[in-house]
Amino acid sequence: NNIPSLVEDEQCSELGEAPQSVKACDEEIEDDFMVEDESSPKYHSGPWTGCSVICGDGIKTREVTCYKKTEEGDVEILEDSECIGNKPAMEEPCTNEDPCEPADWIISDFTACDGICGLTHMSRHAICTDGEGNALPEEEEDRCD
């Protein structure tokens, strides 16, 4: 019926000796699938770069290097073909949440003080607009900074 269940050890005798299930704390148990020692070639993944774009979808990258430790404790760089297993990804998609359309300030000329009785300051208007010249709401004005 292909449903796993616990059975008496005698029913597994034809499978050979049972794997070790208990060990003393200073003993090592070899991995059933791959014996890995310090000198085995392995991949080292460096840190991810930032996203390649300041807005929208881009990619981030990292260096992935196959290496092994020598008996002297040094690191030796190897060809990828010498490493076992799948090479970790060197690129990954990323998204920068900032909108891609440009935004900038549209600023009027300063008003004049000359010849107007009592004016002591000049003023001008500034409007934060999108790439088509439409005024942006106040909560989006930080896009113009």
Side-chain angles (χ1 to χ4, degrees), residues 57-117:
D57 296 331
I59 58 166
K60 55 185 179 177
T61 59
R62 65 180 175 182
E63 298 226 5
V64 178
T65 308
C66 179
Y67 77 99
K68 74 174 182 177
K69 286 189 178 177
T70 64
E71 290 179 13
E72 296 81 31
D74 297 326
V75 172
E76 181 182 344
I77 305 299
L78 305 171
E79 294 295 321
D80 287 348
S81 59
E82 297 184 62
C83 270
I84 299 169
N86 294 330
K87 183 176 182 176
M90 296 175 64
E91 288 186 354
E92 188 172 278
C94 58
T95 300
N96 193 325
E97 300 300 325
D98 292 332
C100 284
E101 69 267 5
D104 204 357
W105 292 105
I106 294 180
I107 302 169
S108 71
D109 291 333
F110 277 106
T111 58
C113 289
D114 299 341
I116 300 176
C117 182

Side-chain angles (χ1 to χ4, degrees), residues 4-58:
S5 58
L6 292 175
V7 296
E8 295 297 321
D9 287 349
E10 294 80 39
Q11 291 183 287
C12 295
S13 60
E14 64 194 48
L15 300 174
E17 195 171 316
Q20 184 178 359
S21 59
V22 177
K23 71 173 188 89
C25 290
D26 60 349
E27 289 180 17
E28 298 228 358
I29 296 180
E30 290 182 2
D31 188 318
D32 289 338
F33 301 103
M34 183 173 75
V35 177
E36 185 177 307
D37 59 32
E38 284 295 310
S39 63
S40 294
K42 57 188 100 195
Y43 285 108
H44 167 37
S45 301
W48 289 106
T49 62
C51 199
S52 62
V53 295
I54 59 171
C55 65
D57 296 331

Side-chain angles (χ1 to χ4, degrees), residues 118-133:
L119 284 180
T120 59
H121 294 84
M122 295 186 291
S123 64
R124 66 180 176 180
H125 291 283
I127 301 170
C128 180
T129 62
D130 63 19
E132 296 172 4

